[in-house]
Amino acid sequence: MVVDDSVVIRGMISRWIGAEPDMEVVASLRTGLDAVNQLERINPDVAVLDIEMPELDGISALPQLLAKKRDLVVIMASTLTRRNAEISLKALSLGAADYIPKPESTREATAAETFRHDLIQKIRHLGAKARRSAVHTSASPPLAPGHDRPRAAASGTAPVQLVRRPFGLLPPKVLLIGSSTGGPQALMTLVAEIGPVIDRFPVLITQHMPPTFTTILAEHLARTSKRQAHEAIDGETIKAGQIYLAPGGRHMRVVRHGIDAAIALDDGPPVNFCKPAVDPMFTSAIDIWQGSIMSLILTGMGSDGTRGGKDIVAAGGSVIAQDEATSVVWGMPGAAANAGICAAVLPLNQIAPKLVRVFSGDRS
């Protein structure tokens, strides 16, 4: 279901989706009110929901849509303004699955093609997971009161192979985090619980996110962690007690500056279709911290972080991946887990306690 007050945008998105063999546009609507009123009749798996619309805007329509269809996958779409970035991140806390920035002009071919690629991938992966979850739930017998269903991977894959050397030979000196789809919510949960780590060590984060959105995310991370968090600045010295977030549209690397480690922002081409990308941050950090790196790969599409994670493990560092059950999309962490490079694959609520223990000296 495509919901946007622009007839041009509705038509463009509908054509793109209609050209995919595994997708179908079941409705193209002008307002959030139309979407709410027609949802039960249309019964879509996924809704692409614009933020700014007459009668009922996207952020107001979102909770009403989810109240009528709890498992609806909602992808918020908006132009790239600070206000819309704020609203998009708020929408995630209200139950939206993801967001996507619309190009300023549909006439710009590169921007439109990037928008098309990202949108189709988000619809495909998020919609497929929702369908798998629905099938799994409907196929599972009811449980007796007081019994919990055993947690299993949604795809039914076999347990992953962990590295034999759990958490390196050297104590970690830095925490590197990579994340994508579902990452903002996961990062908020994580930074609220790793204060003892942040206080003593630098934390560098690459979240797949466009400009303006990363500005807002850094502010949210600062409020949630009650620590210093900001978009990284080219040339600044990396210090303990700080969270550095790769700014949208720039790769964040680590370089040596005298005896210190420093931030280097890179305006090179996308890596793994992403800019910023996780691999450049992971790989560049090895020259500075060698085997004293703890890296974490959270929820997200694709495989960004796996190549850099292999390099970190080869240098003596460690990788933790978020597990499938708690990931919005188990692409990035799943790729790392299946590559056999992880010291642990953990549910989100177990990652912070593990990090606190490892950084305090317990590397078992």
Side-chain angles (χ1 to χ4, degrees), residues 36-307:
V36 171
N37 290 339
Q38 298 187 46
L39 180 70
E40 290 164 317
R41 178 182 64 82
I42 297 166
N43 193 29
D45 297 305
V46 179
V48 180
L49 185 64
D50 187 27
I51 288 179
E52 297 176 310
M53 293 180 290
E55 296 185 33
L56 188 69
D57 61 26
I59 196 67
S60 302
L62 174 63
Q64 297 185 45
L65 292 170
L66 293 176
K68 287 191 170 189
K69 184 176 172 65
R70 188 182 61 178
D71 60 348
L72 178 68
V73 172
V74 179
I75 300 172
M76 306 300 295
S78 70
T79 50
L80 205 56
T81 64
R82 182 182 172 91
R83 175 179 176 274
N84 285 341
E86 283 273 20
I87 293 172
S88 296
L89 292 181
K90 180 183 178 182
L92 296 179
S93 68
L94 296 176
D98 205 357
Y99 60 87
I100 187 164
K102 295 192 291 189
E104 295 293 331
S105 170
T106 56
R107 292 187 298 272
E108 187 180 342
T110 302
E113 187 53 39
T114 300
F115 178 49
R116 174 178 183 165
H117 173 272
D118 292 349
L119 179 63
I120 293 300
Q121 291 302 308
K122 289 174 188 287
I123 293 171
R124 177 169 289 119
H125 288 279
L126 293 168
K129 180 178 180 180
R131 284 202 157 191
R132 284 197 304 269
S133 298
V135 169
H136 176 74
T137 302
S138 63
S140 301
L143 295 172
H147 289 74
D148 293 327
R149 193 179 311 282
R151 174 170 285 175
S155 61
T157 53
V160 298
Q161 184 69 42
L162 301 179
V163 295
R164 293 182 180 180
R165 170 181 45 76
F167 288 101
L169 300 175
L170 301 172
K173 295 180 181 178
V174 64
L175 174 60
L176 308 178
I177 305 174
S179 52
S180 184
T181 307
Q185 307 98 300
L187 288 168
M188 295 300 171
T189 299
L190 185 71
V191 300
E193 300 173 356
I194 60 168
V197 175
I198 302 171
D199 289 340
R200 297 177 55 213
F201 305 92
V203 177
L204 280 66
I205 301 173
T206 292
Q207 159 72 39
H208 295 166
M209 193 174 254
T212 306
F213 279 71
T214 47
T215 305
I216 305 301
L217 179 60
E219 294 170 2
H220 287 206
L221 291 171
R223 287 197 295 269
T224 302
S225 67
K226 298 180 174 60
R227 306 298 194 280
Q228 294 292 319
H230 63 278
E231 285 183 300
I233 301 169
D234 189 51
E236 71 174 314
T237 300
I238 297 172
K239 299 177 181 178
Q242 302 271 342
I243 298 173
Y244 302 86
L245 180 67
R250 306 285 296 278
H251 297 304
M252 179 171 68
R253 301 179 190 271
V254 183
V255 296
R256 189 172 297 283
H257 188 266
I259 62 172
D260 297 317
I263 297 291
L265 298 182
D266 180 343
D267 198 26
V271 176
N272 302 317
F273 301 101
C274 304
K275 189 178 176 183
V278 179
D279 277 334
M281 177 181 71
F282 277 9
T283 303
S284 65
I286 297 169
D287 289 337
I288 308 300
W289 292 291
Q290 288 83 42
S292 296
I293 296 173
M294 170 59 66
S295 57
L296 171 62
I297 301 178
L298 297 174
T299 172
M301 291 189 295
S303 61
D304 191 22
T306 294
R307 190 178 71 232

Side-chain angles (χ1 to χ4, degrees), residues 153 157-163 321 324 330 333-342 344-346:
T157 53
V160 298
Q161 184 69 42
L162 301 179
V163 295
E324 185 172 8
W330 207 53
N338 290 320
I341 62 172
C342 296
V345 178
L346 300 172

